[in-house]
Amino acid sequence: MISLPFLSAARMVRTLLPGQTLTRQHNIVTRYATALLGAPMAFLFTLSPVLAQDMFQQLRRGHFLVGMRRLSWYMRRGWPGINISRDPVPVFFQDLALPQLAAQRQFLHRRAVHLKPEVLAGELCCISACEALVAFSSPAYETCLARFRRDATVALDMALRTPPSTTPQTDDAPSPVQQEFSRVAAERALRDTLALLEQNGVKPFVLSGTFLGAVREKAILEHDYDIDIGVMAADINPQKLEHLLHNTPSFRCIAANMQIRLERDLDGTLVRRSIPVLYKLRHENGIVADIFLHYQEDDILWHGSPQYRWDNLTFSLAPYSLAGIHVQGPKEADRYLTENYGNWRVPKRKFYCGTDTPNMQLLPNPQSVALSLWQLRLFEGPGAVEARADLLKRMQKAGHIEKTTAGEWRILPDLFAP
């Protein structure tokens, strides 16, 4: 039987999980109080002093979103077995050092008999992918890379062993973040964010779901959960932009995301490149604006996240009206939206930017491989077979997997070799 103190702590975690609470600025008393409660909970679920210490540090510093996401994973995979998170991708392993990643691996191995084999394989692969990235250019890289390839091979085999379910999906309930989303609040956040950027010499435009709302409905999409804004990377100084976002009183920059790419230079040496791609800016009313940097490559204008990249043919900008707000957006609206959504004229309530976007490209790094392997086993509903086949082709195009002479998929044996 679960004790009353534990139930009270679990309720506290559930209370903190809504995005507006997690992303706001908390005072020092709240940070330390939450840290002093969260760290023992992390230890209780994982039996790891290393992970408990990390939890304390994250919450003490006010990183509530990161800390609570990890704590929710410890609850789900630990002995409580309670799932309080609806994150579409596993984010428990990101931005950790090697000791913390090793502790997470040990935690999973201790819980292995209680986990489905495919879940264990997928999450171990996520951890080893992060280890390989962290260890890049160090003496530990080849050891971490070899472990990642082994984990990826097992995860791929597990994912392909069971056909995807074609049973229609029945869970259409909005996520907690979507439940909090308000069109009125989003309109104010959009207006204020555009004004902030324009007043500081930045030329913003709306994109993705926010632009779709402007074109199709002349309003913010009612089932959205943030606003999407683009800027041209060539027109801004990332350091100055980041300084602006971190030092405006009515906003809080909750993330400055880099895209990591392991690529060959001209002499064939594998190098690590980190490219600033995304800033998450929280308005004082709780709405988050994703500000994407756009990069030109030949006739492609791309933007991305730490997990994915989205390619569009080069576009110019034109004026639009969104809920009475004057905005700029891609002039070639039909082409742009078709590249991003396919049949964009038909509303779709459940949409995942990682696999439902025709123009998504996978990245040359181990985490991209691991997240793709994670997604392979999650497809369900009508079109699941086709969706999984499409993702396998994208992985092949990215150089992550190949087909053997027997027609079976495998991880490339020299993937990310130094």
Side-chain angles (χ1 to χ4, degrees):
M1 180 178 294
I2 299 176
S3 67
L4 287 177
F6 169 72
L7 288 175
S8 299
R11 291 192 188 101
M12 181 278 292
V13 175
R14 288 178 182 273
T15 301
L16 283 171
L17 277 177
Q20 292 188 11
T21 302
L22 290 177
T23 57
R24 74 185 184 199
Q25 185 73 51
H26 295 275
N27 61 43
I28 189 170
V29 175
T30 302
R31 296 201 310 271
Y32 269 89
T34 308
L36 289 172
L37 182 59
M41 290 179 68
F43 181 78
L44 182 65
F45 303 146
T46 66
L47 300 180
S48 170
V50 173
L51 297 181
Q53 182 182 34
D54 169 71
M55 182 61 59
F56 180 85
Q57 295 298 336
Q58 293 296 335
L59 298 178
R60 180 185 67 82
R61 294 168 183 161
H63 301 163
F64 276 31
L65 183 60
V66 173
M68 288 302 165
R69 280 175 161 174
R70 284 187 193 144
L71 189 59
S72 71
W73 180 70
Y74 299 151
M75 293 177 68
R76 183 165 68 251
R77 296 296 176 242
W79 57 265
I82 300 175
N83 188 4
I84 60 174
S85 173
R86 299 185 65 176
D87 284 323
V89 295
V91 292
F92 57 87
F93 58 92
Q94 294 176 335
D95 301 319
L96 286 172
L98 288 178
Q100 288 77 32
L101 290 167
Q104 286 192 339
R105 176 179 292 278
Q106 292 167 1
F107 164 59
L108 275 183
H109 280 304
R110 285 197 299 269
R111 299 293 302 168
V113 296
H114 303 283
L115 304 178
K116 294 180 179 179
E118 63 272 19
V119 171
L120 177 64
E123 295 191 342
L124 286 174
C125 184
C126 287
I127 293 172
S128 61
C130 196
E131 287 174 327
L133 272 182
V134 173
F136 186 79
S137 294
S138 78
Y141 178 63
E142 292 200 26
T143 299
C144 292
L145 180 62
R147 181 163 51 213
F148 161 69
R149 288 180 187 153
R150 290 194 299 270
D151 288 345
T153 296
V154 174
L156 177 62
D157 179 65
M158 289 288 184
L160 296 180
R161 188 174 296 177
T162 305
S165 171
T166 57
T167 303
Q169 302 177 43
T170 57
D171 182 14
D172 292 324
S175 70
V177 175
Q178 289 173 319
Q179 290 174 347
E180 294 177 10
F181 189 79
S182 159
R183 275 180 164 176
V184 174
E187 289 165 9
R188 180 189 165 201
L190 175 62
R191 188 179 293 108
D192 290 351
T193 305
L194 293 176
L196 171 69
L197 295 173
E198 290 168 351
Q199 290 167 8
N200 287 273
V202 180
K203 299 178 181 178
F205 55 93
V206 294
L207 71 148
S208 301
T210 305
F211 182 59
L212 175 61
V215 174
R216 192 177 68 197
E217 302 179 20
K218 311 300 181 187
I220 300 286
L221 297 177
E222 65 176 355
H223 57 277
D224 214 335
Y225 54 88
D226 60 11
I227 55 179
D228 302 304
I229 294 175
V231 298
M232 298 298 181
D235 296 340
I236 59 100
N237 180 310
Q239 289 75 30
K240 290 184 178 179
L241 176 60
E242 189 169 340
H243 182 268
L244 169 67
L245 300 182
H246 276 293
N247 291 278
T248 302
S250 56
F251 293 90
R252 183 188 182 202
C253 187
I254 59 176
N257 294 146
M258 308 292 284
Q259 187 175 101
I260 300 174
R261 307 173 67 88
L262 302 186
E263 298 175 315
R264 305 283 174 187
D265 63 13
L266 294 178
D267 66 359
T269 302
L270 190 70
V271 296
R272 170 176 168 151
R273 295 189 175 94
S274 296
I275 306 170
V277 290
L278 168 63
Y279 297 99
K280 287 185 173 290
L281 188 64
R282 184 195 189 276
H283 189 271
E284 61 185 356
N285 66 12
I287 299 297
V288 172
D290 285 347
I291 302 176
F292 292 94
L293 276 61
H294 283 60
Y295 293 88
Q296 186 80 48
E297 287 186 7
D298 299 323
D299 62 343
I300 295 296
L301 199 57
W302 69 269
H303 67 285
S305 71
Q307 294 84 26
Y308 307 106
R309 160 177 162 158
W310 296 278
D311 288 0
N312 290 100
L313 292 174
T314 300
F315 53 82
S316 54
L317 297 176
Y320 295 87
S321 178
L322 173 57
I325 305 170
H326 297 295
V327 300
Q328 292 286 311
K331 182 178 181 181
E332 301 80 359
D334 178 69
R335 187 191 73 191
Y336 175 87
L337 291 172
T338 300
E339 290 170 351
N340 283 269
Y341 299 103
N343 186 4
W344 56 271
R345 292 179 174 82
V346 178
K348 184 177 181 181
R349 288 194 63 85
K350 299 191 73 172
F351 183 85
Y352 176 45
C353 63
T355 55
D356 294 336
T357 45
N359 60 340
M360 182 270 286
Q361 307 292 329
L362 298 176
L363 304 179
N365 75 51
Q367 283 189 16
S368 185
V369 179
L371 291 174
S372 299
L373 295 174
W374 176 272
Q375 184 61 42
L376 277 177
R377 64 182 182 82
L378 300 183
F379 289 114
E380 58 183 8
V385 174
E386 294 79 4
R388 187 163 79 169
D390 177 67
L391 182 53
L392 287 167
K393 290 179 180 178
R394 296 194 203 208
M395 294 181 70
Q396 182 183 35
K397 180 181 177 181
H400 298 167
I401 61 175
E402 65 180 2
K403 272 194 172 180
T404 66
T405 54
E408 298 178 346
W409 292 108
R410 71 167 183 172
I411 302 293
L412 266 68
D414 61 346
L415 187 62
F416 306 124

